[in-house]
Amino acid sequence: MNVWIAIGVTAVGCYAVKLIGLLVPEGVLERPLVQRLAALLPVALLAALTAQQTFADGHVLVLDARAAGLAAAAVALLLRAPFLLVVAAAVVVTAGVRALTG
């Protein structure tokens, strides 16, 4: 039951955030600082989520196959590979390292 309450609260919260975004005056959205924050904030959040999912196991810092996969994806990105190739490189390297290390 607690899971459904959490899902309901999250859904209402997401809807409220979207509604608040629609109510912001256009003059505020045209400010350069707001536009810069809107452009950079999603990238920072995605990087933080990726780092947390890659290098954390609960409250413990870990360095395992996921880090190797992330490194492979970073190399593929530096080589300007297509997105699917980046994902495939990360999957293959992660699976390979897990197969080798057990």
Side-chain angles (χ1 to χ4, degrees), residues 2 21-22 25 37 41 47 49 59 62 69 74 78 80 83 97 99-101:
N2 288 336
L22 292 174
L37 279 174
L41 195 58
L49 285 171
H59 295 288
V62 294
L78 287 175
R80 300 191 180 273
F83 177 73
V97 171
L100 291 175
T101 59

Side-chain angles (χ1 to χ4, degrees), residues 12-80:
V12 170
C14 289
Y15 184 77
V17 167
K18 287 185 174 274
L19 185 62
I20 291 170
L22 292 174
L23 298 175
V24 173
E26 190 171 331
V28 172
L29 298 176
E30 292 177 354
R31 293 181 184 167
L33 177 63
V34 173
Q35 288 182 348
R36 186 159 171 84
L37 279 174
L40 296 177
L41 195 58
V43 175
L45 287 173
L46 186 58
L49 285 171
T50 301
Q52 195 274 335
Q53 290 294 316
T54 303
F55 299 112
D57 186 16
H59 295 288
V60 179
L61 184 64
V62 294
L63 190 62
D64 58 7
R66 294 175 293 178
L70 182 63
V75 170
L77 283 173
L78 287 175
L79 296 174
R80 300 191 180 273

